[in-house]
Amino acid sequence: MSTTSQDVLDRVERERQDYLEELEEYLRIPSISTDPAFKDDVLRCAGFVVDLMKDAGLEARLIDSAHGGYPLVYGEWSGAPGKPTILFYGHYDVQPADPIELWEHPPFEPAVVGDRIYARGATDDKGQSFAHLKAVAAMLAERGSLPINVKFIIEGEEESGGETIDHFVSEDAGELLACDAVFISDSAMYAPGQPSLIYGLKGLAYMEIKVTGPNRDLHSGSFGGAVTNPLNALAQIVGQLRDAKTGRILIPGFYDDVLEIEDWERSEFAAFDFDEEAYRGELGVPELFGEEGYTTLERTWVRPTCDVNGIFGGYAGHGAKTVLPAWGGAKVSMRLVPDQDLEKIERLFTEYVQSIAPQGVEVEVTSHHGGQPVLLATEGPVVDAAMAAMEDIWQRPVRVREGGSIPIVSTFSSVLGVPILLLGFGLSDDCLHSPNEKLDLGNFYGGIRAVVRLLDRLATTQVS
Ligand code: BES
Ligand code: MN
Ligand code: MN
């Protein structure tokens, strides 16, 4: 068997166009998990992924949710007894496409422009997890076998809470998902041509504040001055979440469990050629701002944050309407870092908001779905093999952390107890969750080739 993987890499080259057309078909399915109007499409998408796996040569099936959520897609090939087993994770659901009018091509009609494919899900996460699957498919097609065993678990609710997979992994998946390492498809490289080994993901606590005042909207002249205005009260609360000058979060106890950045992280991040000015310009802001004492990379990767995501209530239509609103609301997310705990932060937030609630209104705090933060291994035989495989295609990966969240990763880490690697090859300008999401085709094919190299390398790696 080839140790350079050249046989399979040649096939990938020959079949480029077929892969692309199949990916386009996948991207045409509007599998928006958060919006019930798309339920049939999400279910159809799950079936499509089962077929993709079967066509690749895996044994595949749906695993229905015990709690009424969207099914998981499971596939495996276990013809290499005595060899390591890798579990691949991805998600087949996507974010909503709005604001639709800002898309240059319709979000669910994939458009190849130059060396990029544009569509909702192109990078997050259909294109990426499809590339992982295609690497396996190409190996099976070329050789009739794999050098190691593989399992795939692709969920349909990552963008809307991931409850189905979380229940499944924590309650009944121990044996089915037993493996020597997990590969996650759902992330990005540090820069074009510069792959990364992401060893930290943030957690997420997502809260909603509702402030209720008078029993109806009031004339703001006749009644103004007599009662607490719920939107003024809300602004007061939100204004006390962070110190405007230092950027520090003011919730008592919030920083108690935060792991401080380590010296090696500080010096490795500082050595990147990160261009603050270009970053600032690309985002179109007059200046960057964040927590005092930390660089931009440190703020986004290793420091917890607290941000208002939406604020609503009162009159927001055209022109002026003099009204004192009956209620107001805000959605606030906190990105958590190790060793902060989701439940504890939800509790601290709720207690703090209640404690600063202005008089004369009722304040209600609720929490939405979230996830725990996680730190992953930066060393070991599987990490080495992945570093080498990515170096075969691009160059040696840099070790970075990430401000985004993939809630199931911390559950995998605690339940499965094996190394977890984030092998993403998206780019930071892929516009995930934004209009005009895209994937660079060079990264798509490079990702397939890197996984082929990695699986061949793992066949001769002592994994534990
Ligand atoms: N793939 C992203 C997370 C991500 C983004 C990882 C960029 C690495 C680089 C994932 O699909 C996502 O959007 N996660 C949500 C989680 C939430 C819905 C619980 C997030 O981070 O907002
Ligand atoms: Mn994703
Ligand atoms: Mn996402």
Side-chain angles (χ1 to χ4, degrees), residues 22-300:
E22 228 176 328
L23 174 60
E24 289 175 8
E25 215 181 314
Y26 190 13
L27 291 171
R28 270 188 214 111
I29 309 173
S31 49
I32 303 169
S33 61
T34 201
D35 184 345
F38 293 87
K39 182 170 184 201
D40 290 348
D41 295 303
V42 183
L43 293 172
R44 181 159 60 92
C45 195
F48 183 88
V49 178
V50 172
D51 291 342
L52 277 181
M53 288 186 189
K54 286 185 176 160
D55 291 347
L58 307 182
E59 271 177 45
R61 63 188 163 92
L62 293 179
I63 298 176
D64 281 316
S65 162
H67 304 264
Y70 287 120
L72 304 168
V73 184
Y74 178 77
E76 69 173 37
W77 187 92
S78 49
K83 292 290 184 185
T85 299
I86 298 301
L87 172 66
F88 288 92
Y89 162 85
H91 61 91
Y92 65 82
D93 64 322
V94 299
Q95 283 276 319
D98 47 296
I100 300 241
E101 65 280 6
L102 295 184
W103 286 77
E104 280 173 31
H105 307 271
F108 296 104
E109 291 171 31
V112 175
V113 181
D115 199 27
R116 297 166 158 190
I117 183 163
Y118 289 85
R120 174 56 88 224
T123 191
D124 186 14
D125 171 44
K126 286 176 173 172
Q128 295 207 36
S129 58
F130 181 81
H132 281 186
L133 181 58
K134 271 302 159 197
V136 167
M139 290 180 114
L140 279 170
E142 184 62 30
R143 300 177 185 161
S145 68
L146 298 175
I148 56 159
N149 305 294
V150 299
K151 298 176 175 180
F152 280 81
I153 188 104
I154 311 291
E155 69 159 315
E157 293 173 4
E158 198 276 340
E159 303 290 8
S160 59
E163 273 162 34
T164 295
I165 193 169
D166 199 67
H167 280 124
F168 181 69
V169 174
S170 8
E171 285 155 25
D172 16 60
E175 208 168 305
L176 185 72
L177 300 186
C179 60
D180 297 289
V182 184
F183 292 171
I184 310 276
S185 59
D186 197 20
S187 60
M189 314 213 305
Y190 176 70
Q194 174 60 71
S196 54
L197 181 86
I198 299 176
Y199 65 92
L201 287 170
K202 284 188 180 172
L204 175 68
Y206 201 108
M207 314 297 290
E208 184 152 348
I209 306 173
K210 180 147 190 224
V211 180
T212 314
N215 59 9
R216 60 187 189 277
D217 285 2
L218 301 173
H219 188 287
S220 64
S222 308
F223 295 91
V227 294
T228 304
N229 175 332
L231 275 179
N232 289 12
L234 184 65
Q236 241 171 286
I237 294 170
V238 162
Q240 292 176 74
L241 291 174
R242 286 174 84 202
D243 184 297
K245 246 172 106 190
T246 63
R248 295 272 296 180
I249 293 150
L250 296 172
I251 301 165
F254 184 83
Y255 290 100
D256 282 1
D257 304 317
V258 170
L259 288 185
E260 258 312 317
I261 181 167
E262 300 209 13
D263 290 343
W264 71 267
E265 299 181 288
R266 193 150 245 181
S267 53
E268 277 193 28
F269 300 169
F272 294 159
D273 53 356
F274 180 72
D275 184 340
E276 297 241 338
E277 191 45 31
Y279 182 82
R280 186 200 63 71
E282 207 259 316
L283 298 179
V285 291
E287 67 180 275
L288 297 172
F289 175 74
E291 187 184 352
E292 200 172 72
Y294 297 90
T295 66
T296 299
L297 287 182
E298 291 168 359
R299 288 167 182 166
T300 53

